[in-house]
């Protein structure tokens, strides 16, 4: 490689990662010890029966290999159980996060619906001061409901499906607009 990448690698190698909380210390699992692949059977030149010592040595050799394999199985089982427990913890955390997000989305939807309803009701209950002629010829200011039908219907029009960007593709129902217009006159 070129000198730049070698220098960068050497700088990164000398960097102290232990100072940071984000880094998770993971150690590589050590290799599982297994018995040698060499056969436990040794052929003899003499066709005579094996002596007691030879049989005991072969049995000890096989016992050692069986013990080594048993320890390897235990090691692998404990590692597998550790990984399964870690996966269960991660799964539980992910489920909790998904539930929390769903609750958050539901709360946001409820707040949005409430805001929409308030935006719809506000022009209907808003009042304005209007000058009205009195019987004696003076003008008197009277508080009355707004007669501006456009400002009353605008929030309703914005909340209708198809106009507000949601539920596009559905035909727009104009019945609420016609009813409110007829009731306002």
């Amino acid at each position: 490689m070129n000198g730049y990448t070698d220098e960068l690698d050497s700088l990164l190698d000398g960097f102290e990662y232990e100072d940071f909380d984000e880094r998770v210390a993971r150690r590589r699992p050590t290799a599982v010890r297994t018995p040698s692949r060499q056969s436990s059977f040794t052929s003899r030149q003499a066709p005579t029966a094996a002596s007691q010592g030879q049989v005991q040595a072969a049995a000890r050799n096989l016992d050692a290999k069986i013990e080594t394999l048993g320890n390897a199985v235990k090691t692998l089982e404990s590692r597998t159980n550790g990984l399964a427990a870690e996966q269960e913890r991660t799964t539980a955390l992910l489920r909790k996060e998904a539930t929390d997000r769903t609750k958050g989305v539901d709360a946001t939807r409820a707040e949005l619906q409430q805001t929409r309803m308030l935006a719809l009701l506000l022009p209907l209950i808003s009042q304005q001061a209007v000058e009205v002629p009195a019987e004696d010829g003076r003008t008197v200011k009277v508080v009355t409901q707004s007669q501006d039908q456009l400002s009353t219907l605008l929030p309703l029009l914005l909340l209708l499906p198809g106009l507000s960007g949601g539920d596009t593709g559905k035909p727009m129902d104009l019945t609420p607009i016609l009813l409110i217009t007829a009731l306002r006159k």
Side-chain angles (χ1 to χ4, degrees), residues 51-83:
S51 69
Q52 181 75 19
Q54 290 173 333
V55 170
Q56 287 176 346
R60 278 192 299 272
N61 186 14
L62 291 174
D63 286 344
K65 286 186 176 187
I66 290 171
E67 183 181 355
T68 302
L69 287 174
N71 290 338
V73 167
K74 287 178 187 175
T75 302
L76 290 175
E77 184 179 12
S78 68
R79 288 180 186 174
T80 303
N81 290 341
L83 288 173

Side-chain angles (χ1 to χ4, degrees), residues 115-130:
T115 304
R116 284 180 166 180
M117 293 308 291
L118 288 175
L120 179 65
L121 292 175
L122 189 62
L124 295 175
I125 63 172
S126 65
Q127 299 176 346
Q128 67 179 12
V130 178

Side-chain angles (χ1 to χ4, degrees), residues 10-18 20:
S10 67
L11 283 173
L12 290 175
D13 287 340
F15 195 66
E16 295 292 330
Y17 289 107
E18 291 81 24
F20 297 102

Side-chain angles (χ1 to χ4, degrees), residues 5-185:
T5 55
D6 292 337
E7 183 180 336
L8 185 62
D9 286 341
S10 67
L11 283 173
L12 290 175
D13 287 340
F15 195 66
E16 295 292 330
Y17 289 107
E18 291 81 24
D19 296 340
F20 297 102
D21 293 335
E22 296 89 19
R23 184 172 189 268
V24 177
R26 298 226 182 230
R27 59 182 176 97
R28 290 186 125 181
T30 57
V32 177
R33 190 169 165 247
T34 58
S36 69
R37 299 232 178 227
Q38 182 180 355
S39 174
S40 296
F41 176 77
T42 55
S43 62
R44 299 179 302 126
Q45 282 76 13
T48 61
S51 69
Q52 181 75 19
Q54 290 173 333
V55 170
Q56 287 176 346
R60 278 192 299 272
N61 186 14
L62 291 174
D63 286 344
K65 286 186 176 187
I66 290 171
E67 183 181 355
T68 302
L69 287 174
N71 290 338
V73 167
K74 287 178 187 175
T75 302
L76 290 175
E77 184 179 12
S78 68
R79 288 180 186 174
T80 303
N81 290 341
L83 288 173
E86 185 177 339
Q87 181 191 13
E88 287 176 12
R89 284 191 300 272
T90 304
T91 301
L93 287 173
L94 287 174
R95 281 188 184 136
K96 183 182 182 303
E97 183 179 344
T99 303
D100 291 345
R101 285 186 181 191
T102 301
K103 287 179 184 177
V105 167
D106 291 344
T108 303
R109 283 185 182 150
E111 289 175 9
L112 180 62
Q113 184 63 25
Q114 184 179 14
T115 304
R116 284 180 166 180
M117 293 308 291
L118 288 175
L120 179 65
L121 292 175
L122 189 62
L124 295 175
I125 63 172
S126 65
Q127 299 176 346
Q128 67 179 12
V130 178
E131 292 186 6
V132 178
E135 293 178 4
D136 59 359
R138 294 181 298 138
T139 59
V140 179
K141 286 190 174 185
V142 177
V143 177
T144 182
Q145 190 172 4
S146 175
Q147 298 300 317
D148 184 14
Q149 291 183 356
L150 180 63
S151 66
T152 304
L153 292 178
L154 186 60
L156 180 64
L157 290 173
L158 291 175
L159 293 177
L160 285 175
L163 292 180
S164 63
D167 297 333
T168 58
K170 291 185 177 180
M172 189 169 62
D173 185 16
L174 298 176
T175 307
I177 296 173
L178 295 174
L179 285 175
I180 290 176
T181 306
L183 291 175
R184 297 284 295 164
K185 289 184 179 180

